[in-house]
């Protein structure tokens, strides 16, 4: 993984964590909020994993 890809991962991780913090801080923590956070993590990280990690190993 090259440097620009790592910078993108760090930026996306920081943004996702900040948004998760805003959701958690703005309302009481319930199972629904946990479900929303896990679902958003899957939506954000699975495509990135497939594109850069899984397929990146095949290219080399």
């Amino acid at each position: 993984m090259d440097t620009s890809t790592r910078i993108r991962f760090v930026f996306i991780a920081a943004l996702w964590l900040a948004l998760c913090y805003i959701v958690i801080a703005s309302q009481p923590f319930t199972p629904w909020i946990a479900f929303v956070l896990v679902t958003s993590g899957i939506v954000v990280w699975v495509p990135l994993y497939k594109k850069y990690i899984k397929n990146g190993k095949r290219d080399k």
Side-chain angles (χ1 to χ4, degrees), residues 9-48:
F9 268 107
V10 169
F11 183 75
I12 291 172
L15 181 62
W16 183 73
L17 288 172
L19 292 173
C20 288
Y21 173 75
I22 291 170
V23 168
I24 292 171
S26 67
Q27 52 198 345
F29 191 78
T30 62
W32 179 252
I33 298 300
F35 172 74
V36 168
L37 294 177
V38 169
T39 306
S40 70
I42 291 171
V43 168
V44 169
W45 294 109
V46 168
L48 290 174

Side-chain angles (χ1 to χ4, degrees), residues 43-56:
V43 168
V44 169
W45 294 109
V46 168
L48 290 174
Y49 171 80
K50 285 183 177 180
K51 182 175 182 180
Y52 292 112
I53 306 297
K54 188 176 177 184
N55 291 337

